[in-house]
Amino acid sequence: MMVSFFDQFASPSFLGIPLIAVAIALPWVLFPTPPSRWVNNRLITVQTWFINRFTNQLMLPLSVGGHKWALLLASLMVFLITINMLGLLPYTFTPTTQLSLNMGLAVPLWLATVIIGMRNQPTVALGHLLPEGTPIPLIPVLIIIETISLFIRPLALGVRLTANLTAGHLLIQLIATAVFVLLPMMPTVAILTAAVLFLLTLLEVAVAMIQGYVFVLLLSLYLQENV
């Protein structure tokens, strides 16, 4: 019986109940809670240093009004990176390969940036739809194009994250299957293929981290336009 390569992206279930909620909530258990003592252990120190560095880098181009988003964006970035990294382990499920989850994160956050811009500075927010100095005959066309590009932003956020992780997982599974098939017939070729698989796995670790960072970075750029 052949097993489809896309079965790894199906949500696991127990007694007919999907366990995607457990897969989403479980990563938060892995993070240690800082104690009330002055002296922390090494893990909490590294975790705090990483989050502080990321938050400072992310909030640097934003005005003071955008600093209210620091906790939300930092938490989202850590959450996405953790889920993506855990999805590389054997016999695990990666929730971020589901477009529904990524769109559920992208659409509300993008919409919040748009609402903030329309509430705080409606003239500037609407001014992005029409570049300065546009010829009069091109004004209707440019407004339509900029409006479409504005509404495509959340779709691009969700599809980018889904496509990158899905393609990486499929490629790893294809090469791993090739290694098992070639091992009894051509051991030398199988060893070379396994070396390629190891390098690809390292690349996927980097992709898992970068995609979480890119998702949050693009949200911060959208926020920067509206604050």
Side-chain angles (χ1 to χ4, degrees), residues 125-136:
L126 293 176
H128 290 302
L129 301 179
L130 185 62
E132 187 177 356
T134 304
I136 295 179

Side-chain angles (χ1 to χ4, degrees), residues 159-171:
V159 171
R160 178 186 292 107
L161 184 58
T162 304
N164 281 281
L165 295 178
T166 303
H169 283 60
L170 281 176
L171 194 55

